[in-house]
Amino acid sequence: MCEITTIVTTAARPDALSKQLAERACTMLNVRFVERKKRGIAKMATLYNANVIVAGKNRYEYHALGADAPFFFHPSSAAFRLKRAARGEIDTFLAACQLNEGDTFLDCTLGMATDSMMAAFAVGESGKVIGCEGNANVAFIVSEGMKRYDITDLPLLSCMEQIEVVHSVALDYLKLQPDNSFDVVYMDPMFEETIEESTSFQPLRQAGLHEGLSDEWMTQAERVAKRRIVLKAHFRSDLFEQYGFVRDARLSSKFHYGIKEVT
């Protein structure tokens, strides 16, 4: 069986900008460009046995081979969560993390970067937010999406410009970090259990790398975290008890946060 690769193409009617974006994707990901030639993306994916990144006029789309829908960057719930946080309303993620201006924050499971945006807002320009993403294509789509997203009507989203996206699985990245190098280490193994109504994340589920929480991952997180580790998981998850997290139970939510202070 042929190995699955990644190719880059343009929208059906490319303009100069989409051609430039396609060239950038090829360079950044070290993959080849394939002319669209009026072909559908599904047909190209099958023909080349490849994932397909499409450079459009204003965004990239990632069509993972066999996926039902493309993955592309959008701020998701961060837009309205940032508005609420700016008004002084409680955000459960920020309450769990207890981030301060100037803090350092490591998101082990970046995904759509929604929570990292909240963290960037909390730590401010003097802080540091790094997000790990194990899938190179997803890391590229999110990183480029945050750089290019039009924030004209959503100025609070400017905080995402300071998020550094790292293409690495969390464990490998943690192993390279010094002791006590991040105030808060955050992990959200979102694929542990599927939430039926969470349709906006379905493309990411199909495109992303599924990484389960392990003993070694926790050991490294405890070494790297200076203040606390925060876990987000389904309310039925046994990870809270397994790894000694104090659960912040929310009766109205299907996800809970777990907090583990590091001493």
Side-chain angles (χ1 to χ4, degrees):
M1 184 176 180
C2 296
E3 181 182 356
I4 297 174
T5 60
T6 295
I7 60 174
V8 175
T9 192
T10 59
R13 296 180 179 179
D15 59 5
L17 177 57
S18 60
K19 291 178 180 178
Q20 290 176 8
L21 292 178
E23 183 178 348
R24 175 172 174 78
C26 290
T27 301
M28 296 292 290
L29 293 169
N30 192 28
V31 296
R32 66 174 174 142
F33 176 77
V34 177
E35 289 283 355
R36 184 70 177 265
K37 296 180 180 179
K38 299 182 180 180
R39 294 174 293 189
I41 298 302
K43 182 177 181 180
M44 293 183 69
T46 301
L47 180 62
Y48 292 96
N49 192 43
N51 305 309
V52 183
I53 291 178
V54 179
K57 295 181 179 180
N58 55 14
R59 74 181 187 193
Y60 290 103
E61 287 187 354
Y62 174 38
H63 298 251
L65 183 63
D68 299 325
F71 171 69
F72 57 91
F73 173 77
H74 57 89
S76 188
S77 62
F80 65 81
R81 287 174 62 191
L82 284 167
K83 287 182 179 179
R84 292 174 179 174
R87 291 197 299 262
E89 296 181 28
I90 294 175
D91 181 87
T92 50
F93 161 77
L94 292 180
C97 292
Q98 292 292 297
L99 292 166
N100 303 308
E101 184 87 16
D103 276 353
T104 52
F105 175 86
L106 174 63
D107 188 342
C108 290
T109 45
L110 182 69
M112 290 289 286
T114 307
D115 287 328
S116 278
M117 290 181 222
M118 300 302 298
F121 172 77
V123 304
E125 294 182 2
S126 61
K128 180 174 71 172
V129 174
I130 293 179
C132 291
E133 173 51 55
N135 183 296
N137 295 333
V138 172
F140 174 78
I141 294 294
V142 174
S143 179
E144 291 295 307
M146 289 193 293
K147 293 174 184 175
R148 301 176 185 281
Y149 196 83
D150 185 359
I151 62 171
T152 303
D153 297 324
L154 298 167
L156 288 172
L157 285 174
S158 63
C159 63
M160 66 186 175
E161 297 174 359
Q162 69 192 74
I163 299 171
E164 179 183 348
V165 179
V166 175
H167 168 221
S168 175
V169 296
L171 179 56
D172 290 347
Y173 186 77
L174 284 165
K175 287 179 177 179
L176 297 175
Q177 306 313 303
D179 294 355
N180 306 315
S181 52
F182 287 88
D183 291 297
V184 177
V185 173
Y186 176 63
M187 48 190 66
D188 173 11
M190 70 180 82
F191 303 106
E192 185 191 15
E193 182 160 353
T194 299
I195 302 298
E196 292 182 3
E197 59 266 36
S198 187
T199 55
S200 63
F201 283 93
Q202 186 62 20
L204 179 57
R205 287 194 181 93
Q206 294 180 324
L209 183 67
H210 297 205
E211 187 180 7
L213 189 57
S214 66
D215 293 351
E216 188 176 13
W217 186 356
M218 275 301 303
T219 298
Q220 290 297 327
E222 290 171 347
R223 180 184 64 80
V224 170
K226 187 187 304 182
R227 234 177 31 237
R228 64 172 51 186
I229 304 168
V230 177
L231 169 70
K232 179 184 178 182
H234 193 275
F235 75 92
R236 284 195 291 257
S237 175
D238 60 2
L239 293 175
F240 300 104
E241 289 73 27
Q242 182 179 350
Y243 290 109
F245 285 90
V246 176
R247 187 193 296 246
D248 178 16
R250 297 177 294 151
L251 298 178
S252 61
S253 175
K254 292 187 177 180
F255 286 100
H256 291 170
Y257 291 99
I259 299 162
K260 189 168 188 178
E261 302 288 352
V262 179
T263 56

PDB file of all heavy atoms in Angstrom, residues 227-229 259-263:
ATOM      1  N   ARG A 227       3.732  25.805  38.699  1.00  0.00           N
ATOM      2  CA  ARG A 227       2.660  26.070  39.644  1.00  0.00           C
ATOM      3  C   ARG A 227       1.551  25.023  39.629  1.00  0.00           C
ATOM      4  O   ARG A 227       1.175  24.488  40.650  1.00  0.00           O
ATOM      5  CB  ARG A 227       2.066  27.458  39.367  1.00  0.00           C
ATOM      6  CG  ARG A 227       2.047  28.327  40.572  1.00  0.00           C
ATOM      7  CD  ARG A 227       1.546  29.727  40.377  1.00  0.00           C
ATOM      8  NE  ARG A 227       0.562  29.983  39.380  1.00  0.00           N
ATOM      9  CZ  ARG A 227       0.714  30.850  38.373  1.00  0.00           C
ATOM     10  NH1 ARG A 227       1.847  31.502  38.238  1.00  0.00           N
ATOM     11  NH2 ARG A 227      -0.249  31.053  37.502  1.00  0.00           N
ATOM     12  N   ARG A 228       1.019  24.744  38.442  1.00  0.00           N
ATOM     13  CA  ARG A 228      -0.070  23.777  38.380  1.00  0.00           C
ATOM     14  C   ARG A 228      -0.212  23.171  36.994  1.00  0.00           C
ATOM     15  O   ARG A 228       0.223  23.719  35.995  1.00  0.00           O
ATOM     16  CB  ARG A 228      -1.397  24.407  38.799  1.00  0.00           C
ATOM     17  CG  ARG A 228      -1.912  25.520  37.911  1.00  0.00           C
ATOM     18  CD  ARG A 228      -3.331  25.956  38.305  1.00  0.00           C
ATOM     19  NE  ARG A 228      -3.470  26.260  39.718  1.00  0.00           N
ATOM     20  CZ  ARG A 228      -4.617  26.550  40.323  1.00  0.00           C
ATOM     21  NH1 ARG A 228      -5.738  26.603  39.610  1.00  0.00           N
ATOM     22  NH2 ARG A 228      -4.690  26.811  41.600  1.00  0.00           N
ATOM     23  N   ILE A 229      -0.853  21.991  36.994  1.00  0.00           N
ATOM     24  CA  ILE A 229      -1.240  21.308  35.759  1.00  0.00           C
ATOM     25  C   ILE A 229      -2.759  21.322  35.727  1.00  0.00           C
ATOM     26  O   ILE A 229      -3.414  21.069  36.744  1.00  0.00           O
ATOM     27  CB  ILE A 229      -0.730  19.855  35.740  1.00  0.00           C
ATOM     28  CG1 ILE A 229       0.780  19.813  35.947  1.00  0.00           C
ATOM     29  CG2 ILE A 229      -1.107  19.163  34.438  1.00  0.00           C
ATOM     30  CD1 ILE A 229       1.307  18.416  36.219  1.00  0.00           C
ATOM     31  N   ILE A 259      -7.461  20.049  38.512  1.00  0.00           N
ATOM     32  CA  ILE A 259      -6.326  20.901  38.898  1.00  0.00           C
ATOM     33  C   ILE A 259      -5.372  20.094  39.766  1.00  0.00           C
ATOM     34  O   ILE A 259      -5.786  19.410  40.711  1.00  0.00           O
ATOM     35  CB  ILE A 259      -6.824  22.140  39.678  1.00  0.00           C
ATOM     36  CG1 ILE A 259      -7.765  22.969  38.793  1.00  0.00           C
ATOM     37  CG2 ILE A 259      -5.639  22.981  40.167  1.00  0.00           C
ATOM     38  CD1 ILE A 259      -8.635  23.925  39.555  1.00  0.00           C
ATOM     39  N   LYS A 260      -4.111  20.174  39.427  1.00  0.00           N
ATOM     40  CA  LYS A 260      -3.075  19.495  40.219  1.00  0.00           C
ATOM     41  C   LYS A 260      -1.975  20.497  40.534  1.00  0.00           C
ATOM     42  O   LYS A 260      -1.239  20.939  39.651  1.00  0.00           O
ATOM     43  CB  LYS A 260      -2.501  18.299  39.462  1.00  0.00           C
ATOM     44  CG  LYS A 260      -1.573  17.427  40.312  1.00  0.00           C
ATOM     45  CD  LYS A 260      -1.260  16.109  39.637  1.00  0.00           C
ATOM     46  CE  LYS A 260      -0.500  15.205  40.577  1.00  0.00           C
ATOM     47  NZ  LYS A 260      -0.215  13.885  39.960  1.00  0.00           N
ATOM     48  N   GLU A 261      -1.898  20.884  41.795  1.00  0.00           N
ATOM     49  CA  GLU A 261      -0.864  21.829  42.209  1.00  0.00           C
ATOM     50  C   GLU A 261       0.484  21.120  42.234  1.00  0.00           C
ATOM     51  O   GLU A 261       0.590  19.955  42.616  1.00  0.00           O
ATOM     52  CB  GLU A 261      -1.181  22.380  43.605  1.00  0.00           C
ATOM     53  CG  GLU A 261      -2.526  23.073  43.718  1.00  0.00           C
ATOM     54  CD  GLU A 261      -2.566  24.415  43.009  1.00  0.00           C
ATOM     55  OE1 GLU A 261      -1.492  24.881  42.561  1.00  0.00           O
ATOM     56  OE2 GLU A 261      -3.655  25.015  42.909  1.00  0.00           O
ATOM     57  N   VAL A 262       1.504  21.842  41.812  1.00  0.00           N
ATOM     58  CA  VAL A 262       2.857  21.276  41.790  1.00  0.00           C
ATOM     59  C   VAL A 262       3.649  21.869  42.942  1.00  0.00           C
ATOM     60  O   VAL A 262       3.717  23.088  43.102  1.00  0.00           O
ATOM     61  CB  VAL A 262       3.559  21.585  40.457  1.00  0.00           C
ATOM     62  CG1 VAL A 262       4.978  21.024  40.455  1.00  0.00           C
ATOM     63  CG2 VAL A 262       2.761  20.998  39.298  1.00  0.00           C
ATOM     64  N   THR A 263       4.237  21.026  43.730  1.00  0.00           N
ATOM     65  CA  THR A 263       5.007  21.496  44.891  1.00  0.00           C
ATOM     66  C   THR A 263       6.465  21.092  44.776  1.00  0.00           C
ATOM     67  O   THR A 263       6.805  20.172  44.059  1.00  0.00           O
ATOM     68  CB  THR A 263       4.433  20.912  46.183  1.00  0.00           C
ATOM     69  OG1 THR A 263       4.419  19.491  46.092  1.00  0.00           O
ATOM     70  CG2 THR A 263       3.028  21.410  46.424  1.00  0.00           C
TER      71      THR A 263
END
